[in-house]
Amino acid sequence: MNRTKYNMWLQYRPISNIKQYELLMNEISVFGDTPAIKSAKVEVDFALSKMLNQAIKVKGEDPTAKIVIGTIEKLGNLLNETQIQKLKSSNDEGYLLSSSNHQLKVIGNSDRAVLYGVHHLIRLVQLEKDISDLEIFQQPKNQFRMLNQWDNLDGSVERGYSGNSIFYKNGQIVQDKSRIKDYARYLSSVGINAISINNVNVWKEETYFITKKYLPEIKQIAEIFRAYGVTLYLSINFASPMAIGGLSTADPLDQSVKEWWRDKAAEIYEYIPDFGGFVVKADSEHRPGPFTYDRDHADGSNMLAEALEPFNGKVVWRCFVYNCLQDWRDRSTDRARAAFDHFKPLDGRFHENVILQIKNGPMDFQVREPVSPLIGAMPNTNQIIEFQVAQEYTGQQIDLCYLIPQWKQVLQFDTHIKGEGSSIEEIVAGNIHPYKYSGISAVSNIGDDENWTGNTLAQANLYGYGRLTWDPSLSAKEIAQEWIIQTFGNTETIIGTIEDMLLNSWEIYENYTAPLGVGWMVTPGVHYGPNIDGYEYSRWGTYHFADRDGIGVDRTKETGTGYTEQYEEPNQSKYNSLEHCPDELLLFFHYVPYKYMLKNGKSVIQHIYDTHFKGFNQVDGLIERWDSLKQYIDEDRFENVQDRLQRQKANAREWRDQINTYFYRKSRINDQHNRTIY
């Protein structure tokens, strides 16, 4: 195995200026022996030994050691009153890094917090930061920082672009769980604290994960994650009482169904006392749910919540609910409306241990779409936002697409739900409404490829997701720099070149794919490569409504689907107005003629031509910049990215040619620059 590819950002390469870290070379004392504390002890010993290129003396509990690590319960007597009060005022995952009087202290409010503090210290050393005068208080802004694995028992990964599952193989849970342990290390290093380990589409055998057939091995996986501060969840089949319980119904109001789930919850907690709870996809894309019994989503989720409540378990209920067989040719129907229409009327009816998981946009992780109006629209119902680290519609970890800038835009969006300042960031942090549970979740992008993410540069999205969910104030540039230095080293040429590639990649990908927010136009099922009229359920037409006169979806309240009414003012008026709608979302909200003039002075059709030619040329620029790093990057990782960029170029060419040809033939309007369009 090539450890450099495998280690992602935990390379722990020797640093250049060892002298400034002489304090670390002496002795470290770690207080406590819980699983998380033991993980912190192992990690700090391993990391510092490698980075400082010498053995580190890790000793027993000695408060006079040069570095002391432990909880406030163990080491509070080493703190002054101000430090104690600051820690006590932070949440359970808060910690302090302090260096004074020739001693460095890493002290957390919990075992998990100590582990986060240790990783923070390691990161500072790997970034070669000065640690001689530290006084850092940290706590995560988001309570839930979760990943959803879409892994199947046969070893496949739905929307997986990095090989097969690290959890399952050939219909069994893997026996060698060392790779799962390493995954837990990566997650803890960026502050991820929850994970569901099976696909939200729970089929056949996976339904049995909540039975004695699989719980003993799932218990082992839970123990691995527990040692790294990560709580385990399972996706469930809503119809499990019928599928594996022998009942004739899964009606959530049926007493026998309620009793079955109560018994099932008790059984699970016998194996995993700190089990997080269930992730549920119901009544969407042919998955069973409460609609079968004329019940609603509050009925369905509350039934599960009652079963989990005695054990402090949670129900994470996905709001990706729409009629996949609706007639998209009927312009009065609108998939974008679905989540809001289904869930908004139910506000206040959900139990306090139910959390609604809402995709960041109203459609499905497109390269550009507006923020879902459902986020924050239910003041009495816990919510978390869902991102997709896996690049399903953004290049599938073949094409480079650094997603942190996109997520930053989403989090900074001001909903005006409770007036100005009601940003998505503050809503999901629980600072706008009195949510008991809130935060951020995302679909993971890892598999059993040697480098975990298929494209080495796609590791930046996983790293960035963790760092951003912990601290949304970090810029996309700061996160990129951290990842680059830890992954490739502290060489100025490497940092500048890869940073430029990452920060421009989202715009480049958007340029040669879907224009002005219209979205989709990808090959159905595959979701990679262009198919302009492609629709997942093909007999129902297209998403973009392009004809000989124009393109776009009319979602206005006067003449369209009325989707714009789901937003609060002033967003409602901004999106509803053709004049004020941002150009990048124009075709999401409006149908316009091809000669409609954008705010940049170009017509829609000329913008389509120009951006697709530009995007293809920009990929050439990515290749040129990466090739300039050949002497700085190890051969395996250099060739991996080089190969992906060549594949991206082929994809960009196909998008450019098909999109431009399609819209030229639709509009019969020539390119102003007389470039070849077939």
Side-chain angles (χ1 to χ4, degrees), residues 542-603:
T542 71
Y543 282 102
H544 53 74
F545 291 142
D547 56 25
R548 67 180 185 178
D549 299 315
I551 180 177
V553 183
D554 184 354
R555 291 189 162 101
T556 65
K557 54 188 177 183
E558 293 85 3
T559 59
T561 68
Y563 168 75
T564 57
E565 294 182 288
Q566 294 183 346
Y567 291 91
E568 297 291 324
E569 292 290 3
N571 294 321
Q572 181 180 136
S573 293
K574 179 177 70 174
Y575 290 146
N576 198 70
S577 164
L578 187 57
E579 179 184 358
H580 295 107
C581 183
D583 281 349
E584 65 268 20
L585 291 172
L586 177 69
L587 301 184
F588 188 94
F589 286 103
H590 297 276
Y591 175 87
V592 297
Y594 291 109
K595 291 186 177 181
Y596 178 83
M597 300 303 290
L598 302 173
K599 295 175 180 61
N600 63 9
K602 290 184 181 181
S603 66

Side-chain angles (χ1 to χ4, degrees), residues 117 176 249 320 387 408 418 521 610 627:
D176 180 1
T249 181
F320 185 55
F387 291 130
K408 288 281 293 182
K418 292 185 73 174
M521 302 198 295
D610 287 351
D627 285 349

Side-chain angles (χ1 to χ4, degrees), residues 70 141 148 374 496 620:
K141 182 155 189 176
N148 293 171
L374 183 61
D620 269 336

Side-chain angles (χ1 to χ4, degrees), residues 252-263 303 306-307:
L253 300 189
D254 185 278
Q255 192 60 37
S256 65
V257 173
K258 292 183 177 183
E259 291 176 1
W260 188 90
W261 280 110
R262 283 198 292 266
D263 291 343
M303 176 267 295
E306 289 169 5

Side-chain angles (χ1 to χ4, degrees), residues 363-382:
M363 299 297 273
D364 193 8
F365 302 129
Q366 297 302 291
V367 67
R368 177 79 67 174
E369 57 181 303
V371 174
S372 170
L374 183 61
I375 303 169
M378 302 175 69
N380 304 300
T381 306
N382 301 317

